[in-house]
Amino acid sequence: MKVIVIGAGLGGLLSAAKLSGSGYEVEVFERLPMTGGRFTNIDIKGYQLTTGALHMIPHGPTGPLAQLLEEVGADVIIERDEGMAFMRIFEDIENNIYEDVPFGKFGKTFSLWNRIKLALFMITTRKNPPKDCSFAEWLSRNFDTPLAYQMADSFCGWALSLKAADVPAEEVFEIFENLYRYGGPGVPIGGCKAVTDALADVVRSNGGTMYTDKEVSEIIIKDGKASGVIIDGQKYPADLVISNIGHNFTHDLCKDVDISEEHQQYLDRIKVTKPSAGVKICLAANEPLIGHGGVLFTPSARLVNGINEVTNIDPDLAPQGKHLVMAHQTTQWERTPYLEDEIDLGIKDLEEIFAGKDFEVLLTQSYYNGWPVNRSSSGSDIGNTTPIEGLYVVGDGAKGKGGIEVEGVALGVRNTMKLILDN
Amino acid sequence: MKVNENCVGCGQCTAFCRKDAIIVKSKAYITDKCVECGICATYCPMKAIEVAE
Ligand SMILES: Cc1cc2nc3c(=O)[nH]c(=O)nc-3n(C[C@H](O)[C@H](O)[C@H](O)COP(=O)(O)OP(=O)(O)OC[C@H]3O[C@@H](n4cnc5c(N)ncnc54)[C@H](O)[C@@H]3O)c2cc1C
Ligand code: SF4
Ligand code: SF4
């Protein structure tokens, strides 16, 4: 059996590693000169920035991605700074007076009444997650403190690049459940590139082939079945095609298809998936700004949702003695025409949060539309199959339920592999 | 080189420009340090960099 993978992002590479190790003949085609997609490193002045991610694996060494990496034999070390997630709550922002409240104890800043309700919800809601409302709606029904919203937006902004009003409550509770089940975030030693490079090595050592600078222009469909791809006018036949570029772009590559009623329903569903947008601000620091390898949530900030300092886990991600600090903020869809203002406000936030510290802005990076934070925002994923037999979609346009970011990519790949290998 | 409206400001191009000719803030701006080598265009995920006429 021969499989062609379109795109060498995390989803494509995980699929290629798994299938090449299960007796399939695998070819991966990547449009860019490098592999890794939005999960690899780029060097700026000796700092290891990235093409997308904040060098963080949401459930660290014990989550779905770590498990899948181990299963396919990818040699990656993921380290977690246990218990290191804080909410920075400002009492007086002008005079830089704040308290860093541990993430698990965020309720301590609430009134007694809200604290009692919170304790109750922790027990009841985990068992019966609320249906058909956003996380923000659920909060407004149950809490009367603005801090609850700010914390919710900070968490959703960091983890999903969305406002709490744009995430189904059920999805957030599924994520909380996964945090209990799998544990908190970790950093791969060597950064994102260590993960995607290790996967590319696995594919090659399993006899698979990786091509860069090769853009797929069409998916060949014969008798309603995917049977290969076209690159630079040349046909490459295959028994299965796995696309790493999301449902919409995948559909654009299917040129000659008869649209049945069922197919039309699929097209209507994929058309409404919205990619999530966001801004990452990368700082070079001459001293530690955070001091641990976890996450600093910033609910009091104007736009910044959270910040990390990965050099506390892997010092080699910056020049010797320096620190790499990355801040993330979600961008609402209607704000993308005003990105420059959004970036300026984010920088202002960071100047206040780290007032008096020695740092400079290395690079600001923004993501939306065709190169987003997530191709389909959490809670709106639509599975890995398509109406075309033998054509599957993996990656962050087709995540598994409750999976944040790359954990969702891993869960989606696991679903896809089950469908293919059980067949 | 010319940056078209596909650019999202991801900053990928600037890491590969050996002449330090690209400034990125919400969008890429190519400065007059550019020697038209074309490398940046191959690394852009949005096909946003073209040869200027
Ligand atoms: C600012 C930001 C911060 C983030 N932070 C985190 C984080 O800290 N933790 C986390 O878990 N996740 C994070 N994410 C999300 C994470 O980076 C992505 O979900 C993940 O990298 C997506 O991988 P993918 O395989 O779905 O797609 P991609 O990485 O987009 O891979 C798709 C590949 O397909 C190629 N391609 C496209 N079209 C074609 C074609 N026609 N032919 C051949 N190849 C093609 C592309 O060039 C690309 O390499 C972040 C994302 C952003 C942008
Ligand atoms: S790589 Fe492309 S999309 Fe990204 S900033 Fe450069 S020109 Fe814009
Ligand atoms: S063409 Fe070459 S010199 Fe000019 S901006 Fe692109 S990479 Fe830099």
Side-chain angles (χ1 to χ4, degrees):
Chain A
M1 285 282 263
K2 173 147 173 218
V3 183
I4 282 179
V5 178
I6 307 172
L10 184 65
L13 289 170
L14 282 168
S15 309
K18 177 70 186 172
L19 291 174
S20 59
S22 311
Y24 285 73
E25 189 192 330
V26 176
E27 277 183 331
V28 183
F29 295 105
E30 166 57 47
R31 182 173 80 186
L32 298 178
M34 61 182 197
T35 58
R38 283 167 286 150
F39 209 78
T40 189
N41 301 5
I42 49 178
D43 188 296
I44 301 271
K45 298 183 185 160
Y47 291 81
Q48 294 304 304
L49 306 193
T50 78
T51 50
L54 298 133
H55 286 313
M56 278 222 148
I57 297 180
H59 298 302
T62 45
L65 176 63
Q67 287 170 22
L68 192 51
L69 288 171
E70 195 181 329
E71 189 181 310
V72 300
D75 195 9
V76 187
I77 300 164
I78 302 167
E79 274 185 26
R80 178 192 282 148
D81 212 349
E82 211 66 61
M84 289 300 162
F86 294 91
M87 293 260 175
R88 180 159 294 188
I89 311 288
F90 276 89
E91 269 163 43
D92 178 356
I93 202 150
E94 303 280 291
N95 295 305
N96 206 23
I97 300 172
Y98 60 81
E99 185 185 1
D100 282 350
V101 179
F103 184 68
K105 297 200 170 83
F106 66 91
K108 95 188 247 286
T109 53
F110 289 4
S111 68
L112 181 62
W113 175 228
N114 279 324
R115 278 209 305 269
I116 294 168
K117 281 201 290 192
L118 184 69
L120 260 174
F121 285 131
M122 280 305 188
I123 304 163
T124 55
T125 338
R126 274 183 64 192
K127 290 215 181 71
N128 290 307
K131 292 220 176 350
D132 301 324
C133 71
S134 75
F135 189 42
E137 272 166 56
W138 180 83
L139 282 170
S140 73
R141 272 182 225 159
N142 297 300
F143 294 97
D144 53 7
T145 159
L147 201 54
Y149 286 98
Q150 289 170 338
M151 286 177 178
D153 274 340
S154 163
F155 178 76
C156 293
W158 172 267
L160 310 169
S161 210
L162 292 172
K163 294 285 257 187
D166 293 321
V167 197
E170 207 182 345
E171 183 74 15
V172 178
F173 281 94
E174 182 79 26
I175 291 168
F176 287 159
E177 204 51 41
N178 280 341
L179 280 170
Y180 282 103
R181 193 183 302 155
Y182 298 122
V187 174
I189 302 301
C192 296
K193 189 176 196 300
V195 175
T196 44
D197 276 3
L199 285 167
D201 286 345
V202 170
V203 175
R204 287 190 202 99
S205 70
N206 286 342
T209 324
M210 312 262 307
Y211 298 92
T212 49
D213 288 308
K214 289 235 179 277
E215 175 173 0
V216 172
S217 60
E218 186 174 339
I219 297 170
I220 306 167
I221 296 161
K222 248 207 302 259
D223 306 323
K225 198 183 166 309
S227 61
V229 300
I230 297 180
I231 296 158
D232 295 328
Q234 199 184 326
K235 283 187 184 171
Y236 293 81
D239 301 297
L240 293 174
V241 176
I242 298 181
S243 168
N244 189 202
I245 64 175
H247 283 277
N248 284 296
F249 289 121
T250 303
H251 170 70
D252 292 345
L253 295 181
C254 300
K255 304 272 157 76
D256 287 314
V257 274
D258 296 323
I259 311 281
S260 64
E261 201 174 310
E262 182 209 355
H263 200 135
Q264 189 55 50
Q265 284 168 5
Y266 161 79
L267 294 182
D268 293 342
R269 276 168 64 215
I270 66 173
K271 223 171 41 208
V272 295
T273 53
K274 272 188 179 171
S276 58
V279 168
K280 179 174 57 175
I281 300 173
C282 306
L283 307 179
N286 289 324
E287 57 179 319
L289 302 187
I290 294 180
H292 60 77
V295 184
L296 182 66
F297 291 97
T298 49
S300 320
R302 294 176 196 85
L303 289 183
V304 170
N305 301 125
I307 313 170
N308 68 10
E309 189 170 62
V310 288
T311 36
N312 293 310
I313 289 187
D314 183 359
D316 290 341
L317 294 171
Q320 209 183 357
K322 310 279 184 185
H323 281 278
L324 170 62
V325 178
M326 293 184 284
H328 185 77
Q329 64 196 56
T330 176
T331 304
Q332 287 184 280
W333 294 293
E334 64 276 14
R335 291 289 300 163
T336 50
Y338 312 102
L339 266 178
E340 197 150 355
D341 297 344
E342 295 268 308
I343 292 170
D344 282 335
L345 285 173
I347 293 174
K348 217 165 151 186
D349 276 338
L350 295 170
E351 283 165 352
E352 281 175 9
I353 294 167
F354 299 127
K357 302 261 186 181
D358 187 7
F359 69 91
E360 61 171 9
V361 177
L362 263 178
L363 185 67
T364 63
Q365 299 174 276
S366 43
Y367 298 84
Y368 58 99
N369 285 357
W371 200 241
V373 181
N374 264 286
R375 277 194 207 284
S376 72
S377 49
S378 269
S380 72
D381 288 277
I382 41 179
N384 303 99
T385 55
T386 67
I388 294 158
E389 203 191 317
L391 175 62
Y392 298 87
V393 176
V394 296
D396 67 358
K399 296 184 293 300
K401 202 167 167 21
I404 320 180
E405 312 258 14
V406 293
E407 304 292 3
V409 172
L411 291 173
V413 169
R414 194 174 278 289
N415 291 341
T416 312
M417 295 304 108
K418 203 167 164 354
L419 291 169
I420 293 174
L421 296 170
D422 287 357
N423 225 316
Chain B
M1 306 304 283
K2 200 177 87 187
V3 179
N4 67 32
E5 75 286 350
N6 289 344
C7 174
V8 296
C10 72
Q12 201 150 306
C13 50
T14 186
F16 295 96
C17 172
R18 291 192 201 117
K19 297 289 166 189
D20 199 15
I22 311 178
I23 296 167
V24 180
K25 189 176 176 191
S26 82
K27 191 179 173 359
Y29 301 92
I30 296 180
T31 65
D32 53 17
K33 287 191 201 163
C34 171
V35 296
E36 309 281 331
C37 71
I39 289 176
C40 54
T42 65
Y43 281 95
C44 173
M46 294 298 291
K47 295 187 188 169
I49 306 180
E50 303 162 21
V51 181
E53 285 110 59

